[in-house]
Amino acid sequence: MSRAAEFRRGWPTLAAATLAVGLGVSGLAIYSAGLFVSDLSRELGLTATTFGLAFSLLTLGMAAAVPVVGYAVDRYGVKIPTIISALCLAACFAVLGTIVHSLPAYLATMALMGFLGAGSGPIAFTRAVSSWFDRARGFALGITMMGMGLAGAMVPLVISSVIEARGWQSAYIALACAAAAGALPTLLLLRGAPGKDPAATLASAADDNQRASSAEPVGPSFAVIRRSRLFWQLIATFGLMSVAFTGLVPHLVPMLRQSGLSAGTAASIASLLGISVIVSRLVVGFMFDIFRPTVVAASLCCICTVGVLAFAFGGVALAPVAAIAVGCMLGAELDMLGFFTSRYFGLAAFGRAYAGPYTAFVIGGAIAPLWIGAIADQADSYRPALVVVAVLTLLVAASFLALPNPNRRVEALHVGAKTVAPPPSAIAGRS
């Protein structure tokens, strides 16, 4: 089937996934959290340290819930877990705006929001889009993840205006309404997987005809996946990726201010990061469909390394280069994760297979700001931390190059009603 035909038949699911991801926990909670710091510091005694703790609790709550969400998606499909999670996310925002009046209650609610709202994140919607797109999967996943990029551009503007006009409590209620609205695209537009799952390639035409006659997702069981070396390679690769560079995002503006830039100039440079995130989601996804994805991913790591080193040793004049380079990498990380997981393992156990490396990525995202801040405080400069980021990102590039080509997909062998995957050694031999 051509790429155009895939978009003609799969656009409702793609549209639903893009909207729902933007209105999920990643799009609403993460991009809005910092907007409330000033008011909460006055009302609850929130400090920079406790805000950092709250953000880490939100992230770790998501990490703890990911295996549960993965199992639920594989067991019950996409609609039920995502709709329930969207409503729970809305309830948590409503609690923050009405009931929470103490710092411990705020911290507990943030942790609960991460756990209960995790199902509204990318894991389920990546699976849904992957079931409809094969030849254009990379580009489709890039469009899906644009939902978060658009949320990052719009949520701060809208919510800050609500805070100014009606107060922080009303802003939390507005977020609750937006989160509840995130369930509507899933309810109205999301379609079940087509009868023929494009996620795996069979060795013979007879096997292909057998697969086409079944609506069951194709791929190895999770018991087989978790024993494979490839699964653990993905966990290590995406965990290291997150530790390597995601910590630069919250530290970017402080880094620029420390270099002597005004708040306005620092914000303008930081906006370049957001723009490059949106652009890279589409460009990188498109490139995954055409070129070898492992080489594309490694090349992005090298671009990030060059940009970071340029800023470290070239000064603020090259700060825009660093912002764009980091944005390019940041814009592709979850697209990569969904693409590699679906190509390697199919969709039968996609939720649980995705949960492993995604959990590693989320935990790495909680660790990264801490180690960068610690090195910067110790050295009284961000330069040593930037050098470490560059070295780690090169290691991530090497890790991607060690993976087999996902566009030469894993062959699934059907034994009765079960699906068995070849051992990792056979997968590596095909690359």
Side-chain angles (χ1 to χ4, degrees):
M1 181 179 292
S2 68
R3 292 182 176 87
E6 288 182 351
F7 277 99
R8 281 196 298 271
R9 72 170 189 164
W11 73 263
T13 293
L14 180 59
T18 303
L19 291 170
V21 165
L23 295 173
V25 64
S26 301
L28 295 180
I30 291 177
Y31 288 112
S32 69
L35 302 174
F36 295 90
V37 170
S38 177
D39 292 292
L40 293 179
S41 64
R42 184 178 61 255
E43 298 287 337
L44 307 180
L46 188 72
T47 65
T49 300
T50 51
F51 171 67
L53 175 61
F55 199 85
S56 293
L57 288 173
L58 173 72
T59 305
L60 293 174
M62 292 170 61
V66 163
V68 180
V69 174
Y71 173 80
V73 168
D74 291 338
R75 178 68 176 83
Y76 302 106
V78 173
K79 279 196 172 185
I80 293 176
T82 55
I83 290 174
I84 291 174
S85 187
L87 297 178
C88 288
L89 177 64
C92 288
F93 278 128
V95 166
L96 286 174
T98 56
I99 298 175
V100 169
H101 298 295
S102 69
L103 187 57
Y106 171 73
L107 295 174
T109 305
M110 290 293 282
L112 195 63
M113 179 185 295
F115 186 84
L116 297 179
S120 64
I123 179 170
F125 299 107
T126 299
R127 185 195 193 281
V129 171
S130 296
S131 70
W132 283 93
F133 293 86
D134 182 21
R135 291 177 60 86
R137 181 173 298 173
F139 190 47
L141 289 174
I143 293 174
T144 302
M145 294 303 128
M146 270 189 65
M148 281 194 290
L150 294 173
M154 297 176 63
V155 166
L157 298 176
V158 174
I159 297 303
S160 61
S161 65
V162 175
I163 292 174
E164 291 178 3
R166 295 185 175 274
W168 62 274
Q169 294 97 335
S170 296
Y172 273 129
I173 299 302
L175 286 169
C177 294
L184 294 178
T186 302
L187 183 65
L188 300 177
L189 292 176
L190 195 78
R191 296 178 180 176
K196 183 174 180 179
D197 184 350
T201 300
L202 301 185
S204 67
D207 285 336
D208 191 66
N209 289 335
Q210 177 184 359
R211 182 177 64 133
S213 64
S214 173
E216 290 297 317
V218 175
S221 68
F222 184 64
V224 172
I225 292 171
R226 70 183 176 189
R227 291 195 300 268
S228 72
R229 183 181 63 187
L230 185 55
F231 176 64
W232 295 101
Q233 280 182 273
L234 283 184
I235 289 177
T237 299
F238 283 96
L240 180 61
M241 174 195 289
S242 184
V243 170
F245 78 91
T246 57
L248 290 177
V249 178
H251 282 284
L252 181 59
V253 171
M255 202 182 307
L256 296 172
R257 295 300 306 277
Q258 189 185 76
S259 299
L261 296 181
S262 66
T265 304
S268 297
I269 293 175
S271 69
L272 294 175
L273 185 147
I275 294 171
S276 60
V277 164
I278 295 173
V279 173
S280 70
R281 291 201 188 281
L282 296 179
V283 174
V284 173
F286 182 75
M287 292 175 69
F288 275 2
D289 295 328
I290 299 176
F291 304 107
R292 180 165 177 158
T294 51
V295 175
V296 175
S299 300
L300 283 172
C301 292
C302 293
I303 291 172
C304 184
T305 297
V306 171
V308 167
L309 290 177
F311 180 35
F313 295 100
V316 292
L318 295 178
V321 175
I324 292 172
V326 172
C328 287
M329 193 71 195
L330 189 68
E333 83 285 51
L334 295 181
D335 311 34
M336 292 182 192
L337 179 50
F339 185 90
F340 280 86
T341 302
S342 63
R343 285 295 197 217
Y344 286 143
F345 305 123
L347 299 183
F350 176 87
R352 284 164 289 176
Y354 185 98
Y358 183 66
T359 300
F361 187 88
V362 171
I363 292 174
I367 295 171
L370 299 178
W371 77 257
I372 290 179
I375 292 179
D377 286 340
Q378 185 69 27
D380 198 27
S381 169
Y382 277 100
R383 179 179 291 180
L386 291 173
V387 172
V388 176
V389 168
V391 172
L392 291 177
T393 309
L394 284 179
L395 292 176
V396 177
S399 184
F400 273 118
L401 292 176
L403 295 171
N405 183 359
N407 279 343
R408 298 178 64 181
R409 290 164 292 183
V410 179
E411 292 182 355
L413 303 177
H414 287 262
V415 180
K418 297 181 179 180
T419 305
V420 181
S425 59
I427 297 172
R430 297 179 68 234
S431 61

